[in-house]
Amino acid sequence: MNKVAVIGAGSMGRQIAVHCAIKGLKASLYDMSGEVLSKAQQFSDEYLESRVQKNRLTREESDRARSRLEISSSVEECVSGATVVIEAIIEDFSLKAELFGKLGALCPPPTILASNSSNIVSSRLARVTQGPERVINLHFFNPVLAMDLVEVALHPEVSPEVEHAALKFCREIGRTSVVVRKEVPGFIVNRIFRALTREAMNLLEGGYASAEDIDLAVTRGLGHPMGPFYLMDVAGVDVSYLARLDEYQETGNEASKPNQILEQLYREGRWGKKVGHGFYEYPDADSGGKA
Ligand SMILES: NC(=O)c1ccc[n+]([C@@H]2O[C@H](COP(=O)([O-])OP(=O)(O)OC[C@H]3O[C@@H](n4cnc5c(N)ncnc54)[C@H](O)[C@@H]3O)[C@@H](O)[C@H]2O)c1
């Protein structure tokens, strides 16, 4: 494994690329926005410097990681010579499908073409890609630089060689992987998270307890590090709402329908910590920034 290409340099893509560079891979990063790419470069420089200041990396290791990270000015340049391509663009199926069509033509097999989507299963993208057996989900968690898990989600056409190579890639970048053998939107973690948040919102809507007390019960009674309402605020109320809506529209399953309170917060722009209001108020939040 020598080069990973990451398309989309937003909050996830930039972290995936920096992490891979720290772990010894050549990493190239592309985004359609030049401004986002400049911010990603700045993020990388500041993060690597902070690791040196905290004695987590030596100056030499940090310099080597910096030299392995390349900012690309086109998709073509970014994916050239890559053995793994990870798509981390916005959660919009038609944009992702268009990109996978292009990647299929640009990248010869056995290059792995992976999506970091939180919800869109890879068979939907494999349908529009040359060589569907190499299209998979590699689902990282935010913040990528701290969260150990990667969900490797397969569809029936994925070849055993691609599965093997994907798991090897996760080991190379020092991440624990779990295999989702049968496709399901939301994979494992987000499905369990959604079940938990759905019940938490049912209790709140039914007037059984306050958001504060439900969060307290889940942290103290179940030992979770954060309660469901605070966690939705941190991850983004918009992200939770849109993922639930997409699943509901795909399956027609009434249980997937977003709770009324979630829809209301979404429509009012109360998208969580990043905007200063969600289930809770965050008076000190940098309004409009990322959580
Ligand atoms: N944010 C999270 O907590 C999280 C966690 C796991 C997975 N994901 C998934 O990761 C993906 C990215 O999420 P994010 O939070 O980093 O989004 P983001 O909005 O921060 O970044 C997306 C980037 O994609 C770029 N982009 C859009 N279309 C493009 C194209 N055609 N070519 C190149 N660049 C393009 C945008 O300019 C933007 O910079 C989504 O599919 C999301 O579901 C997000």
Side-chain angles (χ1 to χ4, degrees), residues 202-221:
N202 287 345
L203 289 170
L204 180 68
E205 285 171 344
Y208 295 101
S210 66
E212 288 83 352
D213 277 355
I214 294 168
D215 273 358
L216 194 60
V218 170
T219 52
R220 301 297 170 87

Side-chain angles (χ1 to χ4, degrees), residues 9 22 37-38 45 71 86 107 158 187 193 201 230 234 267:
I22 291 172
L37 275 179
S38 308
D45 292 344
I71 301 290
I86 300 173
C107 308
V158 174
F187 316 118
F193 178 57
M201 287 186 284
Y230 181 66
V234 170
R267 293 201 185 287

Side-chain angles (χ1 to χ4, degrees), residues 83-137:
T83 37
V84 176
V85 177
I86 300 173
E87 167 275 310
I89 71 168
I90 52 170
E91 190 74 353
D92 178 312
F93 176 70
S94 56
L95 290 180
K96 286 186 194 281
E98 194 185 322
L99 178 61
F100 270 78
K102 193 167 176 182
L103 293 175
L106 279 174
C107 308
T111 307
I112 293 176
L113 304 178
S115 174
N116 181 50
S117 169
S118 300
N119 208 50
I120 297 169
V121 292
S122 59
S123 63
R124 288 169 75 189
L125 299 166
R127 267 177 231 137
V128 298
T129 313
Q130 285 177 28
E133 74 290 342
R134 62 204 172 109
V135 178
I136 58 170
N137 292 99

Side-chain angles (χ1 to χ4, degrees), residues 102-260:
K102 193 167 176 182
L103 293 175
L106 279 174
C107 308
T111 307
I112 293 176
L113 304 178
S115 174
N116 181 50
S117 169
S118 300
N119 208 50
I120 297 169
V121 292
S122 59
S123 63
R124 288 169 75 189
L125 299 166
R127 267 177 231 137
V128 298
T129 313
Q130 285 177 28
E133 74 290 342
R134 62 204 172 109
V135 178
I136 58 170
N137 292 99
L138 281 182
H139 184 224
F140 290 79
F141 290 81
N142 200 10
V144 178
L145 289 155
M147 298 289 280
D148 176 43
L149 186 69
V150 179
E151 290 176 327
V152 179
L154 311 174
H155 60 83
E157 282 183 83
V158 174
S159 68
E161 293 76 22
V162 168
E163 177 184 340
H164 179 77
L167 297 179
K168 186 163 169 263
F169 168 70
C170 293
R171 281 195 300 275
E172 271 189 79
I173 61 167
R175 287 293 181 250
T176 299
S177 55
V178 290
V179 180
V180 185
R181 299 220 159 266
K182 194 170 160 187
E183 283 199 320
V184 64
F187 316 118
I188 300 171
V189 173
N190 283 344
R191 287 186 77 80
I192 291 175
F193 178 57
R194 272 179 226 163
L196 179 79
T197 55
R198 183 179 308 125
E199 188 51 31
M201 287 186 284
N202 287 345
L203 289 170
L204 180 68
E205 285 171 344
Y208 295 101
S210 66
E212 288 83 352
D213 277 355
I214 294 168
D215 273 358
L216 194 60
V218 170
T219 52
R220 301 297 170 87
L222 289 173
H224 290 197
M226 285 179 252
F229 294 108
Y230 181 66
L231 193 47
M232 277 189 283
D233 272 357
V234 170
V237 167
D238 53 329
V239 175
S240 286
Y241 173 73
L242 292 173
R244 292 266 302 268
L245 187 67
D246 183 76
E247 187 183 338
Y248 176 56
Q249 286 168 344
E250 274 293 300
T251 62
N253 182 356
E254 281 299 309
S256 305
K257 199 171 177 178
N259 284 67
Q260 222 179 340

